[in-house]
Amino acid sequence: MKPKVFIDGKEGTTGLRIYERLGARDDIELLLIDEDKRKDTAERSKLLNAADIAFLCLPDAAAKEAVSLIENDTTRVIDASTAHRTAEGWDYGFAELSPAHRAAIAASRRVANPGCHASGFIAAVYPLIAHDVVPADGALTCTSLTGYSGGGKKLIAEYEDENRDPRHKSHRIYGLDLHHKHLPEMEYVCGLLETPVFVPILGDFYQGMATTVMLPGVDAQVVHDCLAAHYAGQALVTVAPLGGDEPVIYADTLAGRDSLRLLVCGHEGQTIVTALFDNLGKGASGAAVQNMNIMLGLDETAGLTI
């Protein structure tokens, strides 16, 4: 019998991308809600409880409500919202971080899908902390350049409006209170003792992401060797040769793919690590489908574009 899968919030950007990855597959059964009932609590509850795997592509409050509607101990949940990424009883859905993370996802009933900016930061920093290349109490700085699709339908419409603010053609820095919603999972997952200084930047392009962590006083070769060894053999996370694949980095290089690539660049103890990926791929929907594959014991790259 094929596993039954329900996407609660299929109409949003993340939900639609998950649906695109699952729609053509014949190894699962997609449970679909009638369009006129997609906000009907009783109908949602029915489908949530009928599913083997439920994706939650909802605002935080609605995601918490959805979990409360599940009345059985068989429906397994992958939450794409921020609601449960540091919550007790939830496993963090980034399998490549360690064998323990992968095993936890495989056995889990509740998986929190990582945030997009957080995915890039954690991919770079977690191994460096785990292997004592960077201290947990170090002062880390990170900037992350993203396409506007990560902001959802409202921001997409704003950027694609022919009468948009002309300043949108220039990148814009936001989150100026330095309290971005992804910071708690960055700290929690990496085991940091100090909050990173993190500044996201929105670019005038649809999708793609380049998240860069600055590591002053750390040798680039040591960083590269650590990351290359840590991610050796992984299908969806790779490490470029030291210095990167070319002398420049374009944030949309991996747009349309579900993989992530780390680039280590440096000079005389000044090092940066940039995670290149698609904010809608390994930063959201692709990661969610990968987690589903692992939970169901399937090829983890099934339905994904590497």
Side-chain angles (χ1 to χ4, degrees), residues 80-213:
S81 81
T82 313
H84 299 106
R85 290 175 186 159
T86 61
E88 184 177 354
W90 288 73
D91 296 298
Y92 195 70
F94 200 125
E96 293 85 358
L97 294 183
S98 73
H101 282 85
R102 186 180 298 277
I105 294 166
S108 184
R109 292 182 56 245
R110 299 288 183 266
V111 172
N113 211 56
C116 55
H117 296 293
S119 292
F121 178 89
I122 290 167
V125 172
Y126 180 92
L128 301 179
I129 300 291
H131 298 291
D132 296 321
V133 174
V134 173
D137 60 356
L140 295 176
T141 302
C142 176
T143 185
S144 187
L145 174 58
T146 182
Y148 57 78
S149 58
K153 288 185 173 180
K154 183 177 180 180
L155 190 64
I156 292 171
E158 177 185 333
Y159 263 73
E160 296 185 348
D161 187 338
E162 62 180 15
N163 298 313
R164 71 180 191 170
D165 187 329
R167 295 178 298 174
H168 285 359
K169 67 183 179 182
S170 172
H171 292 349
R172 78 188 197 199
I173 301 171
Y174 66 103
L176 299 181
D177 61 356
L178 302 183
H179 194 62
H180 192 275
K181 65 179 182 179
H182 291 176
L183 276 168
E185 66 186 283
M186 293 177 182
E187 292 182 64
Y188 176 75
V189 175
C190 292
L192 300 179
L193 301 179
E194 296 290 338
T195 303
V197 177
F198 172 60
V199 179
I201 304 172
L202 184 63
D204 187 18
F205 57 99
Y206 187 75
Q207 65 192 98
M209 181 167 277
T211 304
T212 299
V213 180

Side-chain angles (χ1 to χ4, degrees), residues 276-300:
L276 269 180
F277 56 109
D278 187 342
N279 55 289
L280 298 178
K282 186 61 170 166
S285 306
V289 172
Q290 179 190 2
N291 284 323
M292 181 203 77
N293 289 336
I294 293 171
M295 293 166 77
L296 293 176
L298 306 173
D299 175 359
E300 72 176 86

Side-chain angles (χ1 to χ4, degrees), residues 3-25 28-35 37-39 43-58 66 75-80 285 288-289 292:
K4 294 180 173 64
V5 177
F6 175 56
I7 306 169
D8 195 4
K10 183 175 75 69
E11 299 73 22
T13 306
T14 299
L16 280 172
R17 294 296 177 123
I18 292 174
Y19 178 74
E20 289 172 1
R21 287 163 171 79
L22 299 183
R25 290 178 58 168
I28 61 168
E29 178 185 347
L30 271 177
L31 304 179
L32 301 176
I33 193 167
D34 292 339
E35 180 62 25
K37 294 184 177 180
R38 63 187 180 86
K39 294 188 178 181
E43 188 67 13
R44 287 173 54 226
S45 177
K46 176 182 173 182
L47 291 170
L48 285 165
N49 283 282
D52 296 297
I53 297 280
F55 291 98
L56 308 183
C57 304
L58 304 162
T75 297
R76 304 169 75 186
V77 177
I78 301 170
D79 183 11
S285 306
V289 172
M292 181 203 77

